[in-house]
Amino acid sequence: MVRWLHYADAVRLLGGPPSGALAWDELLAALRGLDHTERLCAAHVVIAVTAYAEAVPVEVHDSAVPLPSPASREALAGQLETWYEGLGAERAAARRAVERYEELQRRLAAEVPEFGLWLQLTEPDGEASGLRRLENLLRVLGSERAVDDRRGALAAAYRAALDEPILRRAGAQFPALGTMYIDPVFRARAAEPGDRPSEEGWWADVPVRDDLAGFLAGYLMSPDARVAPLAILGQPGAGKSALTAVLAARLPPSAFLPVRVPLREVPADVDLQDQIEHALRGATGERIGWPELSRSAGGALPLVLLDGFDELLQATGVNQSDFLERVAAFQYREAVQGRPVAVVVTSRVAVADRARLPEGALVVRLEPFTEPQIERWLATWNAANEPALRGRGLRPLPPAAAHRFRELASQPLLLLMLALYDAQDNEVQRLAADELDAGELYERLLRSFAEREVRRGHPAAPDTTIAALVESELMRLSVAAFAMFNRSQLWITEAELDADLAVLSAGAEPAQPPAAGFRAPLTAGQDLVGRFFFIQRAQAVRDGEQLQTFEFLHATFGEYLVARLLIRLLHDLAAREAAATLPLRTTAADDALLYALLSFSPLTSRGTVLRFAASAVTEPSDRQRLQALTVRTFRAALRWTTSQPSAYQPVALPLADRHALYTLNLLLAAVTFGEVTASALFPEAPDPVNEWRRCLQRWQAAVDGYGWFSVASTVEATRIWHGTRRDLVLRAADVPAVEPVEGFWIHAIPADSRDRDMSGFRFEDHDLIQQTYQLRGEPIDDILRHALEPLLETMGLAVTSFGVLSEDRSQSAAHSLLKVWITTSLDEAPGEQLVDAFDAAVRVVTGSYPLVERPIILRSATVLLRMLSREADRLPHDDVVRWCRTLYREGSHCNATIHLLLLDCLLTARLSSPAARALFDELQAVGHDEPAPDPRLSRRVAAALVETGLLASDD
């Protein structure tokens, strides 16, 4: 990627004198009639070096100067300041040089507009939209160049798209693309290989910008554009394809040669050059070779717009992880051949990480519409449709109603969907006026869409028939939603949807009667998808065959429909169970369909599914009834000797995994309706917590990493006692609380057990912890194991030995020592926290003595006393003396090091009380026969004794 340019090279590019000096008039003359991006870069280098030479009079002809990045023009000042300092300038001089550079920059931009355009110094124009400002900005480039017939034909084809309506459909007046298109707000960031732009955190510190035209102008004139692709990302319906269509139309053909390549319409199994040439033929009707066309561009910059990488990926199902790298390799080849080319690639955000980012790539993410943008879009739409609406007694869609559906209205295509359906009978305005939660809004909206389609196909049907057909239609849409959900995808192929509909919705009557004629009849998937505007079709061509996938314009549509079908299945099971004639029936009626749908993916894998399910059941009695049903079904499923057969197989899974996922989803459904206990789930188990743990292990084994994270971040487990039995209260939570570990609970020692009266107790051997972690290979376990390895290797029994602090509190020796270490390491830790940490540690270490071998006892006491001796001067002296007495008298084991550490602690506490002096005298009288292994400690204690006058200096 071009990021630096030497001054001497810059002067040479500008045709300067051999001496390397370039006067201002010579600079201006060199930039007149500008042909190449390199000259703009060279001009930047010249004024950057000139500014430095004025601030610090030295020669810098052979120094490489940083170039601006199109993603962040604000970073240039800091980069220049760092560069100036690297040349030897003092901070103040470097700052003066930066200020001087900015003065020269503004002056040059005023005299050579192209320079200001390249540096994105032009101010945004709020009145110009639809990339008209980009067209105005770039019109000055190459205005003297002639446009040949082929470029003229391409330009005419792309320009004509601006006058085409944004959609062709009965029932509304659709304004032209050039009129309706609104420049989106966006974020832009330079990327490195390995970056993940699909993750929200990657964009956290990137500001939102509203100068898309200025950004694109600066980018297209930068050297970056010729090195690696610009990736433009957006949600479905964000306007990515519209952006490429408008960009191709707005670029002046004298300065640019745009070629728009809709990846859905070109063969997917050919190389990039063939795809470009296929698109050229589609636009002009002529067979045009890319090298010939590129060479004929003269000074115009070729720009290839690859629209719909996500569609190519979805429709073909083929790994395209090197797609962007292949694009960069194409650009490199073209540059070597003297045919530099810029490339833009569009994709949905969710699949952005499915292609590796090459070195030097820039990434743009289109942001949702702001409220003013929504209002501007509606103003244009209403201006075109208001007369016809008024003539039918309807009102135009006001911005306030659209804002009520903000999550939908913030995406251009979804906003069009709302406007289109409101144009029928103002249904959107009626929905917006009601105080509905998100689930009710989606139900009313989807039901309204479905009813229109049903009535179109059955205009004479009575209302009861219409209602049944609407419900059937929504069920079929729910099957499509589950088809995506159970494959862990946001889209579904046509073949997959047809297969799922055949298995799960047999007998459901389609809303539209079959069409007559010679055309091939529509498949079930095509029939369903074709009727609903909120389902998007992606397509690609491979081996001459058109491949299609479908997805909801907004993922939340699918998530709502999954929750909707789940609740209806549970209600159906409850009704059939209530109608059963056998009074002894204790399990739900046949749950085969429930098992089929809920045995492939955890319900938590899509964030809003369970929230929609919870909001759909509001009556407490209904919630209790459905929870009781799911708990009974859960218990029954645990008793299965084999998993249930099912013709529904969206993905291949072992039967054990399907059974685990089914019981997990039943548990998730149960906690969605309220709290449930482990003892209610496992009423016959001697220890329900152990049964819960076994289930959890099976669930975790059946769910991938992210899926398990979604479960763990949804279900909260509170540890309680049920009499003498451990139990858990399980509930759904936005942020599950994490309780401190309690030793009595994990060791199953109830409140009335005599074990709570002991000074301590031990768990199984500490080696078992390491061996179990090693055997399981679970990343979460290994992270904790890695953190604890120093403790486990040197003081293993301190990890598994617990001391009793009170009748309801115990903790391990290792926990106590770590608590003291962390607390003493924080300078801001208040004294009360220190006292509590030391007090608990002394009691636990001494309480654990009877359970631990002597080496571990000595190590624990040594570690604790070393920390105490460092902190004794900022702790209450009476507490220090008390802890020392406990460690000496109740520890029962002592060596020379501990003996010296006890003396050291007492001396640090200044022997400030009779009790301190008495203990000190006792330790002095007893002494210790073993030699101290740490001479530094011996010297420190001796020095303290001399300082206090207790030992003569010559001793």
Side-chain angles (χ1 to χ4, degrees), residues 351-374:
V351 301
D353 296 340
R354 301 280 287 276
R356 293 186 296 270
L357 291 164
E359 184 74 29
L362 289 180
V363 184
V364 164
R365 189 178 77 173
L366 305 183
E367 296 294 304
F369 268 0
T370 62
E371 288 193 3
Q373 287 178 308
I374 294 172

Side-chain angles (χ1 to χ4, degrees), residues 382-685:
N382 289 336
N385 284 277
E386 185 169 4
L389 290 172
R390 297 292 186 191
R392 293 163 46 212
L394 299 175
R395 300 180 304 278
L397 179 62
H403 293 330
R404 181 70 176 84
F405 298 88
R406 181 60 189 274
E407 194 174 7
L408 303 180
S410 60
Q411 300 292 351
L413 197 54
L414 288 166
L415 179 56
L416 174 59
M417 179 195 74
L418 289 175
L420 180 61
Y421 278 93
D422 189 69
Q424 299 295 319
D425 57 8
N426 288 159
E427 176 69 9
V428 172
Q429 296 181 54
R430 285 195 293 273
L431 292 176
D434 295 336
E435 293 297 324
L436 306 175
D437 64 20
E440 292 171 318
L441 285 174
Y442 277 90
E443 175 66 19
R444 297 271 294 276
L445 197 59
L446 292 171
R447 182 170 288 279
S448 173
F449 296 163
E451 184 173 342
R452 286 200 184 92
E453 295 304 322
V454 166
R455 290 192 182 279
R456 184 176 291 120
H458 302 78
D463 288 346
T464 53
T465 301
I466 293 294
L469 287 173
V470 167
E471 187 59 32
S472 174
E473 198 76 345
L474 292 175
M475 287 295 175
R476 286 155 57 82
L477 283 171
S478 296
V479 169
F482 260 108
M484 301 173 200
F485 177 81
N486 280 330
R487 290 173 174 84
S488 300
Q489 299 174 168
L490 293 174
W491 63 87
I492 188 72
T493 69
E494 182 180 350
E496 290 167 339
L497 181 55
D498 285 342
D500 286 10
L501 286 169
V503 172
L504 296 175
S505 61
E509 182 181 352
Q512 298 281 4
F518 292 102
R519 295 184 60 185
L522 296 177
T523 67
Q526 291 171 334
D527 175 63
L528 178 67
V529 170
R531 295 193 302 275
F532 289 98
F533 185 77
F534 52 83
I535 299 180
Q536 178 169 282
R537 186 193 312 261
Q539 63 188 43
V541 179
R542 187 178 67 193
D543 296 332
E545 178 186 1
Q546 189 176 76
L547 307 174
Q548 297 188 92
T549 64
F550 311 119
E551 67 178 308
F552 292 101
L553 279 179
H554 200 283
T556 316
F557 283 136
E559 291 162 11
Y560 172 75
L561 287 165
V562 167
R564 186 183 191 277
L565 183 51
L566 168 64
I567 296 302
R568 273 156 177 73
L569 285 174
L570 291 176
H571 278 301
D572 181 64
L573 275 177
R576 283 190 281 137
E577 184 182 65
T581 57
L582 292 178
L584 299 179
R585 189 177 184 89
T586 59
T587 60
D590 178 22
D591 60 341
L593 183 55
L594 195 66
Y595 168 78
L597 290 172
L598 296 187
S599 57
F600 291 97
S601 183
L603 290 168
T604 51
S605 62
R606 298 280 182 83
T608 60
V609 169
L610 290 180
R611 287 199 290 273
F612 277 131
S615 68
V617 186
T618 56
E619 289 295 327
S621 59
D622 287 343
R623 295 174 75 90
Q624 291 171 8
R625 183 166 61 96
L626 291 186
Q627 185 186 67
L629 171 70
T630 54
V631 168
R632 286 196 300 275
T633 309
F634 174 89
R635 292 177 193 158
L638 291 182
R639 293 193 292 270
W640 289 354
T641 55
T642 59
S643 291
Q644 302 299 303
S646 171
Y648 177 62
Q649 295 280 348
V651 293
L653 278 185
L655 288 177
D657 286 357
R658 289 196 61 185
H659 181 258
L661 284 162
Y662 181 51
T663 53
L664 170 59
N665 280 328
L666 289 172
L667 178 277
L668 293 172
V671 298
T672 295
F673 301 126
E675 295 181 352
V676 63
T677 61
S679 56
L681 296 173
F682 314 101
E684 300 172 1

